[in-house]
Amino acid sequence: MTSPHATPLTERPLLVLYTGGTLGMVETPDGLAPGGDIEPRLARALATLPPARQASLPAFDVLAFPEPIDSSAATPRDWQRLGREIAGRYRDHAGIVVLHGTDTLAWTASSLAFQLQGLDRPVVVTGAMHPLEAPGSDALANLELALRFAANPALQEVAIAFGGKLLRGVRARKWHTRDDDAFASPNYPLLGERVDQDAVLFPGRGLAHQQRGAPLFELPDYTALADGGVARLVVWPGISARQVAAWLEDPRLQGALLEVWGGGNAPDDPALLEALAAASGEGKLLAAISQCPHGSIAIGEYAAGQGLKAAGVMSGETMTPEAAMAKLVHLLAQPLEDAERRRRFLTPLVGER
Ligand code: ASN
């Protein structure tokens, strides 16, 4: 569909979507919980910036989800809802800012990247380690940074603005439980950074140059996978085949991500490898990444990885667990032939590998 807009893209207001998270939380007798009234609260916070900085901020509309959540409660259903919300509204806006809790922010950003393929404008996800109104909070700085990046038409992908950095969403991980600099992108350089008060995009790192034609959003229904359809299994010394089999034999399970050792090795236990091969044989989609946050895996480089290869486990190379899980959910939710699903998993779709 073409836009009925007479207003040039860069003159349209941004859309700020509030989903919950610490940024908008308030103190309750049970501890911090998602708060409401976000629009006036954002305005009050931004009004404390020096006048010149306020004046250079882009205009934005605010849309608050009716029931903001702590992002620890998010499921693939929430990813789907947010993807559809953005897809339905993005044409009216130069860019989108998503306010989200930090706990599962990287998961949501990864999922959005797969849903909003071919994006032709910025979608910037941010949040905070402290509520907007808390003394010394990082919330205002993150909000300002996200607004500035979301107004830059050269950014054409899902990114995370946090702690002075801009990271590719599908490469990012929450890296610290307390620091304001809470996110890292272990296997891909930053897309941008705050330099003095400017939001500077680094040239040549974004997806923009890969986009051709109109966005090719894919908005599959994740409902059937949102309740344990894909599992994440981290191996440890002493893991038993019986434990792996218990996960994989569940008839509701459609796929699994294995977090193996180093460059792509797994315990050399024939019964364990047999459990993997049996699941693969039933059409379950199995992939592996490393437990090491940095670097890639190459399954089969060592003899200790041959069993994984024989069991049909796909290599996730440098993917983060968040990106690999979101991609498994995204591919399993679509009516694809098994071979096509495997091909897409192994192909970079949005710069995730
Ligand atoms: N528990 C919070 C959340 O993810 C953490 C935060 O936003 N800093 O919603």
Side-chain angles (χ1 to χ4, degrees):
M1 261 203 331
T2 51
S3 167
H5 270 286
T7 323
L9 179 61
T10 50
E11 287 170 28
R12 292 176 214 166
L14 304 182
L15 176 65
V16 175
L17 271 166
Y18 172 59
T19 68
T22 297
L23 182 142
M25 286 195 186
V26 291
E27 293 282 0
T28 74
D30 293 331
L32 290 173
D37 280 331
I38 197 70
E39 190 163 0
R41 293 170 62 205
L42 295 177
R44 273 198 296 277
L46 290 168
T48 64
L49 290 173
R53 289 228 316 268
Q54 283 182 53
S56 65
L57 282 174
F60 61 88
D61 301 330
V62 178
L63 180 74
F65 277 19
E67 283 172 16
I69 59 168
D70 186 305
S71 80
S72 52
T75 75
R77 275 191 207 91
D78 297 282
W79 308 343
Q80 166 176 344
R81 189 152 66 111
L82 186 56
R84 289 177 186 202
E85 200 70 57
I86 294 171
R89 296 178 184 273
Y90 82 104
R91 286 187 200 83
D92 296 335
H93 302 280
I96 313 282
V97 171
V98 177
L99 303 179
H100 196 285
T102 58
D103 286 341
T104 64
L105 191 150
W107 297 78
T108 297
S110 296
S111 173
L112 288 177
F114 293 116
Q115 294 182 73
L116 305 174
Q117 288 177 49
L119 194 63
D120 61 356
R121 65 199 76 191
V123 170
V124 182
V125 191
T126 193
M129 300 303 277
H130 310 279
L132 266 172
E133 292 85 1
S137 172
D138 57 330
L140 175 59
N142 287 349
L143 172 67
E144 183 187 3
L145 190 69
L147 289 169
R148 294 199 190 283
F149 276 122
N152 186 338
L155 178 65
Q156 299 186 3
E157 61 184 283
V158 179
I160 295 175
F162 212 99
K165 301 173 182 169
L166 188 75
L167 311 94
R168 172 164 295 162
V170 80
R171 290 285 195 163
R173 306 199 64 192
K174 186 171 179 185
W175 212 244
H176 205 285
T177 59
R178 301 266 170 223
D179 270 10
D180 288 354
D181 183 10
F183 285 82
S185 172
N187 288 319
Y188 195 77
L190 297 181
L191 298 181
E193 215 164 27
R194 179 172 45 225
V195 179
D196 298 327
Q197 292 313 323
D198 293 329
V200 176
L201 209 53
F202 298 136
R205 294 185 184 173
L207 281 183
H209 62 284
Q210 294 176 23
Q211 317 285 39
R212 272 180 292 274
L216 288 168
F217 293 174
E218 287 176 358
L219 302 164
D221 186 354
Y222 291 160
T223 313
L225 292 140
D227 187 21
V230 177
R232 175 178 177 187
L233 271 167
V234 185
V235 303
W236 68 90
I239 188 173
S240 91
R242 127 190 135 254
Q243 290 167 315
V244 173
W247 281 94
L248 297 181
E249 282 168 5
D250 180 342
R252 291 159 296 190
L253 188 90
Q254 299 183 47
L257 179 69
L258 309 171
E259 289 178 38
V260 299
W261 287 307
N265 304 316
D268 186 19
D269 170 358
L272 188 151
L273 295 168
E274 208 170 288
L276 295 175
S280 261
E282 288 168 13
K284 293 177 176 174
L285 202 58
L286 304 185
I289 57 169
S290 180
Q291 293 182 18
C292 303
H294 293 268
S296 187
I297 65 165
I299 295 177
E301 198 174 63
Y302 286 83
Q306 283 303 338
L308 289 174
K309 204 171 179 178
V313 177
M314 300 177 295
S315 170
E317 292 182 351
T318 54
M319 289 171 82
T320 62
E322 294 85 344
M325 290 285 286
K327 192 170 184 181
L328 287 174
V329 168
H330 186 75
L331 294 176
L332 285 163
Q334 296 176 71
L336 299 169
E337 295 288 337
D338 192 49
E340 176 60 10
R341 240 184 227 130
R342 297 178 68 85
R343 188 190 70 76
R344 289 196 198 181
F345 186 85
L346 296 168
T347 307
L349 300 178
V350 285
E352 74 280 15
R353 56 184 289 155

